[in-house]
């Protein structure tokens, strides 16, 4: 996979910006007849200049997908989505609307102090969005980490091969695997199930609030 994506391009140069530089010794009035006349004269050149720069310096938006990128597409996307979610959490300047049903009771709008006006946001508005992003990050962090289940394993393996079928000459033909005397390995399946359930909820929230992922 190769992705090249540049920042947004803005090549527009307003005629008034040029005129402010030309008449640097004074403040211009946009409604002044001379300024309006010069602005109308410069406008076509500004448009042509913008089109030229858009052509020679366009926004880069190149994506190339290799066939192995989709062998485990869920893991491939997790490696991309996770750092973007973390950056969004640190740099965001607003919060999307979040339904009360998707957050704990203490973060719901019904748990916040009463608003002075209907158009105000409640005191838990930004907290709800922080919670949603944290749940998304939790889900993709675990998806990107193939070893997270190891935290729910404990003890040591002691597996022995025990003969269960023999040849006529008495030599073992087949073996079965059994736990040895020093086998202490256990798995916290309940803990794994809780994490898996939380991950699935994070993925569902990612889909539901996908259009709220903006800075």
């Amino acid at each position: 996979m190769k992705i090249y994506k540049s920042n947004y391009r803005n090549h527009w140069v307003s005629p008034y910006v040029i005129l402010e530089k030309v008449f640097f010794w004074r403040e211009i009035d946009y409604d002044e007849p001379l300024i309006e006349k010069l602005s109308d004269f410069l406008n076509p050149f500004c448009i042509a200049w913008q089109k030229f720069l858009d052509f020679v310096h366009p926004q880069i938006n190149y994506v190339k997908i290799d066939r192995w990128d989709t062998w485990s597409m869920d893991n491939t996307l997790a490696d991309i989505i996770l750092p973007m979610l973390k950056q969004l959490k640190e740099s965001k300047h607003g919060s999307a609307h979040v339904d009360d049903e998707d957050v704990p009771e203490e973060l719901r709008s019904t748990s916040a102090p009463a608003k002075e006006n209907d158009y105000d946001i409640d005191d838990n508005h930004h907290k709800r969005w922080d919670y949603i992003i944290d749940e998304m990050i939790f889900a993709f962090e675990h998806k990107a980490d193939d070893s997270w289940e190891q935290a729910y394993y404990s003890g040591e393996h002691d597996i022995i091969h025990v003969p269960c079928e023999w040849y006529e000459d008495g030599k073992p033909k087949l073996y079965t695997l059994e736990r040895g005397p020093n086998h202490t390995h256990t798995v916290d399946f309940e803990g794994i199930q809780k994490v898996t359930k939380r991950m699935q909820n994070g993925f569902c929230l990612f889909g539901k609030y996908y259009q709220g992922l903006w800075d």
Side-chain angles (χ1 to χ4, degrees), residues 73-88:
M73 184 173 167
D74 51 346
N75 287 312
T76 301
L77 290 175
D79 291 335
I80 300 171
I81 294 171
L82 177 58
M84 295 187 73
L85 286 174
K86 289 182 176 181
Q87 178 172 302
L88 176 64

Side-chain angles (χ1 to χ4, degrees), residues 77-190:
L77 290 175
D79 291 335
I80 300 171
I81 294 171
L82 177 58
M84 295 187 73
L85 286 174
K86 289 182 176 181
Q87 178 172 302
L88 176 64
K89 180 182 178 180
E90 296 299 323
S91 63
K92 64 184 177 65
H93 294 90
S95 299
H97 171 78
V98 174
D99 294 331
D100 280 345
E101 63 187 26
D102 294 323
V103 298
E105 185 173 353
E106 65 271 15
L107 296 180
R108 297 177 180 177
S109 59
T110 52
S111 300
K115 300 184 295 183
E116 293 185 6
N117 305 293
D118 290 338
Y119 53 80
D120 291 335
I121 60 173
D122 62 83
D123 288 350
N124 289 336
H125 178 82
H126 297 298
K127 295 178 183 178
R128 285 194 294 276
W129 185 232
D130 287 338
Y131 171 85
I132 294 297
I133 292 183
D134 285 339
E135 291 303 294
M136 295 180 190
I137 291 175
F138 177 88
F140 284 101
E141 273 184 336
H142 284 71
K143 188 63 180 178
D145 180 12
D146 293 333
S147 65
W148 71 266
E149 290 186 3
Q150 297 294 328
Y152 297 88
Y153 299 160
S154 60
E156 299 294 334
H157 284 286
D158 181 21
I159 303 298
I160 58 177
H161 295 76
V162 180
C164 61
E165 189 174 332
W166 292 262
Y167 290 106
E168 293 181 0
D169 60 1
K171 292 182 178 181
K173 181 180 180 180
L174 296 175
Y175 294 84
T176 183
L177 298 178
E178 295 184 5
R179 294 180 178 179
N182 299 318
H183 185 85
T184 59
H185 184 263
T186 59
V187 180
D188 181 7
F189 290 106
E190 184 177 351

Side-chain angles (χ1 to χ4, degrees), residues 55-66:
F55 176 76
V56 299
H57 192 227
Q59 181 183 2
I60 300 173
N61 189 15
Y62 173 80
V63 179
K64 180 182 181 298
I65 304 298
D66 297 303

